[in-house]
Amino acid sequence: MWYRFLIIGFFVNCFFSLSAQVSIRDSTISLVMVSPVYCGYLPGGDMLNRFGYTSVVGLEAGYKHRSNFYATITAGFLFGETVKERTLFKDLVTSAGLLINQNGNLTSVGVQERGTIIPLRFGKIWPIHLITKNPNSGVYTEVGVQFLEHYIHILTDKNVPMLVGKYLKGYDRLTSGSGVLVSAGYRFFGNRRAINFLVGFDFSYNQTKARRPYDFDLKQYSSQIRKDILYGFRLGWTVPLYKQAPEKQYFF
């Protein structure tokens, strides 16, 4: 997974040569923006039958042109506590919902949502001068494409032979694919870089496919094409990178 974060590092370095001295309060400028982000999503489509509320934490890097058009890429870690697949271990657990490990002891089993999401976004900032006189801040609109991967993370005793190694893959429902997204919200850049943030609403439609050849609990080959939807809010704190112009000096 770490190689995906290298993409962001490369993206930032490509635009790190910004050197002209500029003033963000006076005119639109070009800048690099790096933002840790949090997204709270509700699932729709086929994903609604598998998971509940889904969180994403990630790092977004992007470049904004002085025209206020911009592009960003994000590497995000997807996780959640609600898994709705109730038949996963129906042939493995006792009537009390417990497993028996290889030592003959009863042990519990838990499940969580895990995954990766990598959106590439293209957007435009539309300044609203009634809110701020900074021409680099305003309402934004975005479109984009993304890679989505999700699976069921299984928590259990390592001494349960039916749920280790290659056998675990028969239950984790690994799924991945690509999708399109739209987003709208507000981006703010402070005059002195202290307060810079984004807040918005995301919607994505993803066509994904089961990546495991066989589901053990269902006793069938898994070749399902899925329609996975995610929608909800996105919050981020932005670090803008540009060379600040010196304050005006007055002589009397």
Side-chain angles (χ1 to χ4, degrees):
M1 179 175 175
W2 288 106
Y3 74 91
R4 293 166 183 159
F5 288 92
L6 294 178
I7 298 175
I8 291 183
F10 176 78
F11 193 85
V12 173
N13 288 332
C14 286
F15 299 102
F16 218 87
S17 59
L18 292 172
S19 58
Q21 292 186 332
V22 292
S23 176
I24 198 169
R25 75 185 68 180
D26 298 328
S27 60
T28 55
I29 66 170
S30 298
L31 57 84
V32 170
M33 45 191 181
V34 179
S35 308
V37 295
Y38 172 80
C39 307
Y41 291 147
L42 293 175
D46 292 322
M47 202 166 178
L48 179 61
N49 298 323
R50 181 169 293 175
F51 299 121
Y53 179 83
T54 299
S55 295
V56 174
V57 293
L59 185 64
E60 175 183 282
Y63 176 75
K64 185 182 83 69
H65 189 262
R66 61 177 177 270
S67 64
N68 272 345
F69 283 99
Y70 63 88
T72 67
I73 187 170
T74 306
F77 172 62
L78 181 150
F79 60 98
E81 298 298 321
T82 302
V83 177
K84 299 178 181 179
E85 297 273 358
R86 301 302 183 188
T87 65
L88 277 177
F89 312 114
K90 61 183 176 63
D91 297 328
L92 304 180
V93 298
T94 66
S95 59
L98 299 174
L99 296 169
I100 300 176
N101 65 21
Q102 62 186 8
N103 298 320
N105 299 319
L106 292 174
T107 185
S108 61
V109 59
V111 290
Q112 298 173 333
E113 177 189 11
R114 292 289 185 271
T116 303
I117 187 167
I118 305 178
L120 175 63
R121 302 167 182 263
F122 303 92
K124 172 87 186 295
I125 295 175
W126 310 87
I128 301 178
H129 298 295
L130 293 177
I131 298 177
T132 176
K133 296 185 182 301
N134 185 331
N136 298 280
S137 300
V139 171
Y140 74 80
T141 52
E142 295 176 344
V143 296
V145 295
Q146 69 182 15
F147 168 79
L148 173 66
E149 178 183 270
H150 56 76
Y151 64 95
I152 297 174
H153 179 55
I154 299 171
L155 304 167
T156 190
D157 191 331
K158 298 300 183 183
N159 292 318
V160 178
M162 303 86 75
L163 293 176
V164 295
K166 63 181 180 181
Y167 298 107
L168 191 64
K169 296 179 181 180
Y171 297 96
D172 69 3
R173 301 289 201 271
L174 178 65
T175 303
S176 65
S178 59
V180 294
L181 65 91
V182 293
S183 182
Y186 190 83
R187 286 183 179 268
F188 178 81
F189 292 98
N191 291 331
R192 295 187 178 274
R193 303 193 221 202
I195 301 177
N196 311 276
F197 63 86
L198 66 96
V199 56
F201 177 85
D202 287 356
F203 177 90
S204 68
Y205 174 88
N206 309 273
Q207 183 166 295
T208 61
K209 183 178 180 179
R211 299 301 174 182
R212 300 306 189 198
Y214 195 79
D215 292 329
F216 290 170
D217 61 307
L218 299 177
K219 298 179 176 60
Q220 66 182 28
Y221 291 95
S222 56
S223 57
Q224 179 188 10
I225 300 298
R226 298 167 52 89
K227 297 177 176 61
D228 292 335
I229 294 171
L230 288 170
Y231 62 94
F233 68 90
R234 177 166 59 121
L235 303 173
W237 189 267
T238 303
V239 179
L241 304 176
Y242 59 93
K243 191 170 183 179
Q244 181 70 50
E247 295 291 336
K248 293 181 180 179
Q249 298 182 8
Y250 298 91
F251 299 92
F252 298 92

